[in-house]
Amino acid sequence: MSVEPAKQKAAAKTLTLWNFFTIGFGAIIGTGWIFLVGEWLIISGGPIPAMLAFLLGALLLLPVGAVFGELTSALPIDGGVIEYVDRSYGKTAAFITGWFLLLSNIIMCPWETIAISTLLGTLFGDLFPWLRSVRLYSILGADVYLFPALIALCLSGFIIRQNLHGSKAAAKAQSFLTKALLAGLLLALLSAFDKGRLANWQPLFLAVNAATAQTQAASFGTGVLALLTVTPFFYTGFDTIPQQAEEAAQGLDWHKFGRIISLALLSAGSFYIICIAAFSSLMPWTNFIKQPLAALACLKHINSTLYFLMLCITVLGALGPMNSFYASSSRILLAMARKKQLPAAFIPADAAQPIAGPTHLLLSSGIMLAPFLGGNMLLPLTNVAALTFMFSCLMVCLACYRMRSSEPDLHRPYKVPGGKTGIFCACCISFLIIASMLLPGTAASLSKTEYLLLSGWAALGLLVKSLLLYKNKKDCR
């Protein structure tokens, strides 16, 4: 039997439509755009195919976003993904979905802390050498410096503190961080209008073999497809919006809420496209991709002040996903604990606080340890996070399709455009994206290390499930 929101401990209901938008948009964008613009151009063979790939990626995910919108507006429950799958396919399927979704969310918090520490130790270290004055050790080929790690801890501590003070404080932080990202986009646009030339986008397609990546495509069209297979990873994070639905402000228009996820996807796609267009117009793109951290390198050549501002925005940009995924991970743990799929300790004792003490301890421990693990520690986890995220999307889409038949009378303030046909399209899109990551030879296919990590997480989930089953049987005796 499902647990209705009205019977659950009441969380603070403060989140507005703008708050939900900034949660999703900030989680999607992060810092990948500033680090990987050059690699995107290499994979696709030019700026134009790269922009088309991100446009198509956003449009393809719109039906998936609409599915989340329909189910969340109908069942506004924290960690609702577990609830949707449980109602449709049972407890085992719900546990598997929640367990893999938890991995995709929980990875991103320490990952962003590592990104901040690495950024401070490399690029900021060039401007302020004292940041690299105390080298602690080297791990997996990456140097760990004391001062970048401490600064990363302080910035991460701010995010932890905001979440300790509840969803309203975390939402205020997210609103500020989203504005910082938009300021970075504005700086890129101003630079492009001042120094950019459309001629720098030529040639429209060129196969490139660089040190960091290479163009495996042979034509303009295949270049678009090559990048399209990896764009879903850069759109992960829109699921953070429905994970906190239970804290929606009183009187929220749930029909409009259903559109917020699609709006976040389209806004993120526009953000990526504008960044690609702006940065690649500042110099011939064939020269642009030769620069280490190309987006920042070309700004450094143009204006040192602009370069420093963009560096600061990049650091703030890493805090946005950390904030969103911290909150989202906590709600997944809460939902699984409510379903007795995890220990009850993850359910907060105080109804005013949506996050339990053990949850804060678990998430903050990973964040605080991360800067000391080195920049190369979590790289293999990125593709694993994308795959597990898309698996949860597939399960939600399948649940939405079944619930149209099993619960036809469920009040749905927002419905997927196209009805069951639109939901079926979302199922197919999710399945094809997963297939592109599992089939060998594609641009997004997993490595042996990533398969090993995925298997390890699955084995840990099996152990947790077995221990809980044993405990439940023992309690029943």
Side-chain angles (χ1 to χ4, degrees):
M1 295 294 290
S2 63
V3 181
E4 296 299 328
K7 297 179 182 179
Q8 298 167 348
K9 288 181 179 296
K13 298 183 179 296
T14 58
L15 301 184
T16 64
L17 290 174
W18 168 250
N19 294 144
F20 282 116
F21 172 79
T22 58
I23 287 168
F25 180 77
I28 294 171
I29 296 300
T31 55
W33 58 279
I34 201 75
F35 285 104
L36 298 172
V37 170
E39 278 72 11
W40 294 343
L41 301 191
I42 295 170
I43 293 170
S44 61
I48 302 297
M51 287 186 272
L52 285 174
F54 273 96
L55 174 61
L56 290 174
L59 294 176
L60 282 174
L61 287 171
L62 282 181
V64 180
V67 164
F68 275 89
E70 174 174 317
L71 290 178
T72 308
S73 63
L75 299 166
I77 304 170
D78 279 356
V81 169
I82 291 91
E83 174 72 12
Y84 315 146
V85 179
D86 186 24
R87 292 171 80 123
S88 303
Y89 297 103
K91 295 185 181 300
T92 300
F95 175 81
I96 295 171
T97 302
W99 186 252
F100 283 114
L101 180 62
L102 179 62
L103 176 63
S104 70
N105 280 255
I106 210 168
I107 287 172
M108 299 310 296
C109 296
W111 171 249
E112 297 297 343
T113 313
I114 289 176
I116 294 171
S117 178
T118 303
L119 186 66
L120 291 168
T122 53
L123 299 180
F124 274 96
D126 292 336
L127 299 175
F128 307 103
W130 60 268
L131 286 169
R132 293 198 292 247
S133 61
V134 181
R135 177 180 172 276
L136 297 177
Y137 47 80
S138 181
I139 182 169
L140 294 179
D143 292 329
V144 177
Y145 297 98
L146 176 62
F147 293 118
L150 292 178
I151 295 172
L153 287 179
C154 291
L155 292 172
S156 302
F158 168 73
I159 296 300
I160 296 171
R161 177 184 177 277
Q162 293 301 102
N163 280 274
L164 280 170
H165 283 74
S167 56
K168 186 175 182 180
K172 285 183 177 180
Q174 192 65 27
S175 179
F176 166 75
L177 295 170
T178 299
K179 291 172 183 176
L181 282 172
L182 295 176
L185 181 65
L186 180 61
L187 286 177
L189 273 173
L190 292 175
S191 302
F193 280 122
D194 184 34
K195 303 290 184 180
R197 295 174 58 226
L198 294 180
N200 290 331
W201 290 352
Q202 300 294 329
L204 292 180
F205 175 83
L206 180 67
V208 180
N209 190 357
T212 54
Q214 63 180 6
T215 308
Q216 297 178 343
S219 64
F220 183 94
T222 53
V224 174
L225 290 175
L227 185 59
L228 181 60
T229 60
V230 298
T231 54
F233 171 74
F234 298 102
Y235 286 113
T236 56
F238 65 81
D239 64 304
T240 57
I241 297 174
Q243 300 300 355
Q244 301 176 60
E246 202 169 315
E247 289 124 84
Q250 295 288 347
L252 187 84
D253 188 329
W254 287 104
H255 179 73
K256 290 182 179 179
F257 174 91
R259 298 175 178 174
I260 286 293
I261 300 174
S262 297
L263 179 61
L265 279 168
L266 290 175
S267 299
S270 300
F271 187 98
Y272 287 136
I273 291 168
I274 292 171
C275 283
I276 294 168
F279 287 120
S280 60
S281 70
L282 295 174
M283 65 173 65
W285 75 267
T286 50
N287 293 334
F288 173 79
I289 58 176
K290 296 176 182 177
Q291 310 291 322
L293 291 177
L296 292 171
C298 69
L299 289 178
K300 188 176 183 180
H301 290 309
I302 293 172
N303 187 298
S304 57
T305 302
L306 189 63
Y307 170 70
F308 179 75
L309 287 174
M310 190 62 79
L311 276 178
C312 295
I313 289 170
T314 304
V315 171
L316 291 176
L319 296 177
M322 188 191 302
N323 189 48
S324 292
F325 283 110
Y326 189 103
S328 180
S329 299
S330 69
R331 285 8 176 236
I332 296 169
L333 289 167
L334 170 62
M336 295 184 74
R338 283 172 171 171
K339 293 288 183 183
K340 298 183 178 179
Q341 297 171 351
L342 289 177
F346 292 111
I347 301 176
D350 183 359
Q353 291 293 332
I355 304 179
T359 301
H360 278 300
L361 182 62
L362 175 65
L363 296 177
S364 59
S365 296
I367 290 175
M368 303 307 275
L369 287 173
F372 301 99
L373 299 179
N376 296 335
M377 181 60 74
L378 294 180
L379 281 175
L381 291 179
T382 53
N383 275 341
V384 173
L387 176 64
T388 51
F389 166 73
M390 287 311 306
F391 171 75
S392 67
C393 287
L394 174 62
M395 292 303 297
V396 170
C397 292
L398 291 171
C400 186
Y401 191 87
R402 172 170 281 193
M403 287 172 68
R404 280 295 186 96
S405 300
S406 62
E407 301 188 43
D409 297 328
L410 180 68
H411 177 57
R412 296 172 169 87
Y414 173 84
K415 293 184 178 181
V416 176
K420 293 186 75 172
T421 302
I423 301 170
F424 179 76
C425 289
C427 294
C428 292
I429 290 167
S430 301
F431 176 80
L432 289 173
I433 293 172
I434 293 171
S436 72
M437 301 188 74
L438 294 177
L439 292 174
T442 65
S445 58
L446 300 185
S447 67
K448 291 181 180 179
T449 303
E450 290 158 354
Y451 274 116
L452 184 62
L453 290 168
L454 191 63
S455 300
W457 183 255
L460 180 60
L462 182 61
L463 177 62
V464 170
K465 182 71 171 176
S466 300
L467 289 174
L468 286 171
L469 286 173
Y470 174 76
K471 181 180 181 299
N472 292 336
K473 286 183 181 179
K474 188 176 179 180
D475 291 342
C476 291
R477 292 174 183 174

